[in-house]
Amino acid sequence: MNVTLEVSALSKTYGSGEQAVHAVRNAAFSTQPGEFVAVVGPSGSGKTTLLAMIGGLLRPTAGAIVVNGRDIAGLGRGEQAAYRRDTVGYVFQANNLLPFLTARENLLVMAKITRANGKTAGARADRLLAELGLERRANAVATELSGGEKQRVAIGRALMNDLALVLVDEPTASLDSARGRQVVLSLIAEVKQRGKLGLMVTHDMDMAMLADRILSMHDGEMTEIAKPSPAAG
Amino acid sequence: MIDFNREAVLLLRSAGAVAGSRRLIGLLEIRRRKLQFVLIALIVTLISYLVLMINGLGVGLNEQAGSALKNFNADAIAYSERAGLSVIRSELSAELVDEISQRFGAESSAPLGYVAANYATDDGEIDSAAFLGFEPGTIGAPKVVDGRPLTSDDRDGLLVDSSFLRYSGLDVGDTVRVSIRLVERDFLIVGETDEGNFFFQPAVYLLRSSWQELKYGSSGPDLPAASIMLLKGKDAAGSGGEGWTAVNKSTAFANIEGVSGQQSTVQALQLFGFLIGGLVIGVFFYVLTLQKIGQIGVLKAVGASSFFVFRQVLVQVLAISIVGVAIAAPLAWATNRLLQQVPNPVPIAFTTSTFVGTSALLVLMAAVGAAFSGRQVAKVDPIIALGQQQ
């Protein structure tokens, strides 16, 4: 896939005048194909806003988000929806599964949206569920799943359509550390093998350390944290 | 390590699971949330039932007003000029009847007399009926469904509508006492017809000469020969001459005393039935959509277009409203059958067009309600997916 992302002078301001809240200020970074980047920072620092802008859910106040040479910052609603459908696999912090569907059907929703072939989609959903350790829970309705199982189904849904950008917001919040580490390593492997781009928002520095790079957000401003070398660790 | 890109092809699950993957999300939701959707379908069923019954009542009242007139084997009705299109006031002399008959031909015209008279039911109660005097062998003769037709010799014979038999408790072969003013006369029921009512009363057919005797106390050339004339022919409606005028059957029906007031009442009932029924169904589905805004936001956040989401809403609306109407229609039909068994039946009648038209309109109203939901769907911002908690 060889996905590239270039973010420059990206800002998001809510409100105006004295009421203005600068959620993201002049953020800038770029990535190489196959990179997995962690974004860390305290609550309210602008991490999720940054992810939502890159994911086509929020329109920036200023700046550019160039994905594979195309600036998506100024897309209209319809174009944004098409961008999300064709480019972005998003794992929300609150897994946001459709509660009346089974784990398997929650994955197949993605195939319905893109009108993918039913047989191929069914096989891919089964494979993803098996790889996420959910094979036996495939036909359980979302409301019957535990928090961790829901989070893994949400990850499967984000990977279902094999999209270029994998954006994950606190993917390990509902998982124990061993399972969380396994899931993040799996996401990293997926990104690297397919030349995608992974962007993970997390509070967990142990998980962030698994990424290629770590970006830190504080009061909307972004800095890059130098990762300690393996030898130093 | 989990390998998401393993190329090994897993065996497909059962064929049913594959078929399930093709099913619309909207229908899957109905399947999984049975209780919620059963309750909604129940509301739609009750509203559809109410609207169908109101429309059935409209048709029934219409039939009671004068289905016999509509069933006349004629294209037009001729009245005496001064009657103002009133069958009650219209009286045609023998000369006028001859003149009209010669103009349209004996096979395309027939004199008909009308008078309202009382009769005694089998339990001695007095009720009234519309007595229509006709000439056997003309287009004025009704179709007989049981018994035999009247002949020119049946001066004391009657053909009665099936509703007359039902109300009176009498049967073909029975004698019925008919009274008008101070005159009483016994008639023999020789046959049954199925032409319906005339002037809100069961139609009873007798010979024209007997009608003259009933109405005027005797028969003869000096007395009015008929109330109206039935006419056939392309040019019959709108024709006229000195002392008479002819109109088509629809105009004649609309001029039956009381019909126009009744029609406007029934039409107002039907209109409000549709409006209120359609509005309730539409608002119901609109509220249902509002309740799902969170889910809609999630679907849009993962790339679903507004059209994709609207399709799910629409399929639910159509499925529920079709099921509701499909239950309501036989229910209304069965209620009608039941009501016809009681001694004084409620005038409800259903035709295929009533069922099909009303049902289609109700489903359409539900779809219009869904269209308003569509506007709401289009307005949902996918960003709300970030705030959704499971």
Side-chain angles (χ1 to χ4, degrees):
Chain A
M1 284 186 177
N2 293 330
V3 183
T4 58
L5 169 69
E6 200 171 328
V7 173
S8 55
L10 191 66
S11 296
K12 180 67 186 180
T13 304
Y14 295 105
S16 59
E18 288 183 4
Q19 307 283 313
V21 175
H22 302 286
V24 176
R25 303 168 194 247
N26 269 322
F29 68 98
S30 59
T31 65
Q32 297 300 311
E35 243 188 330
F36 193 86
V37 179
V39 182
V40 296
S43 291
S45 60
K47 307 184 299 289
T48 297
T49 301
L50 175 75
L51 207 66
M53 287 192 285
I54 295 170
L57 291 173
L58 261 183
R59 194 168 286 120
T61 309
I65 303 165
V66 179
V67 180
N68 280 347
R70 181 189 181 206
D71 187 0
I72 60 109
L75 296 180
R77 290 185 79 156
E79 289 170 317
Q80 265 189 335
Y83 163 73
R84 289 194 298 270
R85 184 190 63 214
D86 301 332
T87 312
V88 182
Y90 209 121
V91 182
F92 302 96
Q93 191 172 354
N95 50 71
N96 285 349
L97 301 183
L98 292 178
F100 52 87
L101 297 182
T102 64
R104 187 172 188 268
E105 287 163 351
N106 263 289
L107 265 62
L108 289 170
V109 164
M110 300 304 293
K112 287 177 198 294
I113 289 170
T114 54
R115 295 184 178 182
N117 176 279
K119 280 186 180 177
T120 312
R124 179 161 174 84
D126 292 339
R127 192 176 67 195
L128 283 169
L129 289 169
E131 288 164 350
L132 286 160
L134 292 165
E135 198 171 18
R136 290 184 178 176
R137 303 292 283 154
N139 293 318
V141 177
T143 49
E144 296 168 354
L145 299 171
S146 69
E149 286 170 335
K150 284 179 186 172
Q151 196 65 16
R152 280 181 281 158
V153 174
I155 291 168
R157 182 175 66 182
L159 298 173
M160 182 66 193
N161 284 351
D162 195 22
L163 301 172
L165 259 62
V166 180
L167 307 182
V168 285
D169 197 352
E170 301 284 5
T172 58
S174 310
L175 304 175
D176 61 62
S177 58
R179 179 70 83 174
R181 185 180 171 84
Q182 193 184 21
V183 165
V184 172
L185 286 174
S186 304
L187 286 167
I188 292 170
E190 163 81 358
V191 166
K192 296 208 171 299
Q193 284 171 19
R194 299 281 294 145
K196 298 181 179 180
L197 166 67
L199 208 58
M200 172 178 70
V201 164
T202 182
H203 277 96
D204 189 338
M205 276 308 287
D206 287 343
M207 295 302 161
M209 292 299 286
L210 298 171
D212 298 313
R213 290 163 61 195
I214 302 174
L215 301 173
S216 174
M217 296 284 292
H218 192 83
D219 285 342
E221 293 189 351
M222 177 182 280
T223 52
E224 183 152 0
I225 299 174
K227 266 184 69 177
S229 66
Chain B
M1 171 78 64
I2 304 167
D3 180 9
F4 288 118
N5 295 301
R6 197 169 66 198
E7 293 302 320
V9 177
L10 294 179
L11 286 175
L12 290 173
R13 285 169 182 268
S14 65
V18 173
S21 74
R22 294 198 192 106
R23 206 168 292 142
L24 287 160
I25 300 167
L27 293 180
L28 279 171
E29 188 178 7
I30 292 176
R31 207 173 117 191
R32 299 279 155 70
R33 292 179 163 169
K34 284 193 185 78
L35 182 64
Q36 182 185 353
F37 283 99
V38 161
L39 289 175
I40 297 169
L42 186 68
I43 301 283
V44 175
T45 301
L46 291 175
I47 290 170
S48 304
Y49 175 77
L50 180 70
V51 174
L52 278 166
M53 291 302 284
I54 288 173
N55 279 330
L57 188 66
V59 175
L61 284 171
N62 234 338
E63 283 190 359
Q64 209 172 48
S67 57
L69 186 149
K70 287 184 173 174
N71 289 336
F72 282 153
N73 179 23
D75 299 313
I77 314 281
Y79 299 79
S80 58
E81 200 166 31
R82 292 179 187 170
L85 303 185
S86 163
V87 177
I88 296 172
R89 290 194 296 271
S90 180
E91 286 184 328
L92 298 170
S93 64
E95 291 76 26
L96 270 180
V97 168
D98 284 344
E99 181 193 320
I100 297 168
S101 291
Q102 280 172 13
R103 178 158 164 185
F104 288 91
E107 289 177 358
S108 297
S109 62
L112 200 79
Y114 161 77
V115 67
N118 295 331
Y119 67 93
T121 63
D122 70 334
D123 54 7
E125 287 192 21
I126 302 298
D127 215 332
S128 61
F131 287 77
L132 300 170
F134 73 99
E135 289 293 337
T138 66
I139 58 171
K143 282 183 192 157
V144 176
V145 295
D146 191 21
R148 63 172 178 80
L150 286 184
T151 67
S152 307
D153 299 328
D154 287 318
R155 290 189 60 249
D156 297 319
L158 295 180
L159 299 174
V160 299
D161 187 68
S162 46
S163 60
F164 177 95
L165 295 179
R166 212 165 47 241
Y167 297 150
S168 66
L170 298 168
D171 213 340
V172 174
D174 288 346
T175 299
V176 58
R177 175 153 293 181
V178 177
S179 58
I180 184 167
R181 291 180 296 274
L182 297 174
V183 180
E184 281 190 343
R185 182 168 166 182
D186 287 340
F187 283 93
L188 178 70
I189 301 171
V190 302
E192 179 183 349
T193 66
D194 197 18
E195 304 290 343
N197 284 13
F198 195 81
F199 274 62
F200 303 95
Q201 293 169 324
V204 174
Y205 298 83
L206 70 171
L207 294 182
R208 191 161 60 97
S209 55
S210 304
W211 161 78
Q212 264 187 327
E213 287 165 7
L214 206 58
K215 184 166 185 180
Y216 302 108
S218 62
S219 59
D222 299 333
L223 293 167
S227 302
I228 54 175
M229 288 274 294
L230 307 184
L231 305 177
K232 283 185 88 170
K234 277 193 302 187
D235 305 324
S239 62
E242 197 177 330
W244 66 278
T245 184
V247 294
N248 62 28
K249 281 202 287 189
S250 300
T251 308
F253 180 78
N255 278 279
I256 290 177
E257 280 78 354
V259 159
S260 60
Q262 177 198 279
Q263 293 274 69
S264 52
T265 306
V266 167
Q267 279 167 3
L269 269 175
Q270 288 172 326
L271 180 71
F272 282 108
F274 272 124
L275 280 180
I276 295 169
L279 205 66
V280 171
I281 292 172
V283 167
F284 222 85
F285 285 117
Y286 183 73
V287 171
L288 192 72
T289 308
L290 290 183
Q291 285 180 335
K292 293 197 288 192
I293 276 182
Q295 286 171 30
I296 292 168
V298 171
L299 277 170
K300 291 176 87 169
V302 297
S305 63
S306 293
F307 177 70
F308 176 89
V309 181
F310 175 63
R311 210 155 47 108
Q312 312 309 318
V313 174
L314 186 66
V315 80
Q316 283 185 347
V317 171
L318 290 178
I320 296 294
S321 53
I322 288 169
V323 166
V325 168
I327 297 171
L331 208 62
W333 180 83
T335 308
N336 179 37
R337 293 285 299 220
L338 204 67
L339 288 173
Q340 297 312 312
Q341 306 306 313
V342 299
N344 287 308
V346 181
I348 291 176
F350 289 113
T351 58
T352 310
S353 60
T354 315
F355 270 122
V356 174
T358 308
S359 302
L361 210 57
L362 282 166
V363 174
L364 187 73
M365 296 290 263
V368 169
F372 281 102
S373 310
R375 287 184 59 196
Q376 193 63 38
V377 166
K379 280 197 280 184
V380 172
D381 192 331
I383 194 67
I384 65 170
L386 296 182
Q388 285 297 301
Q389 296 295 329
Q390 297 295 301

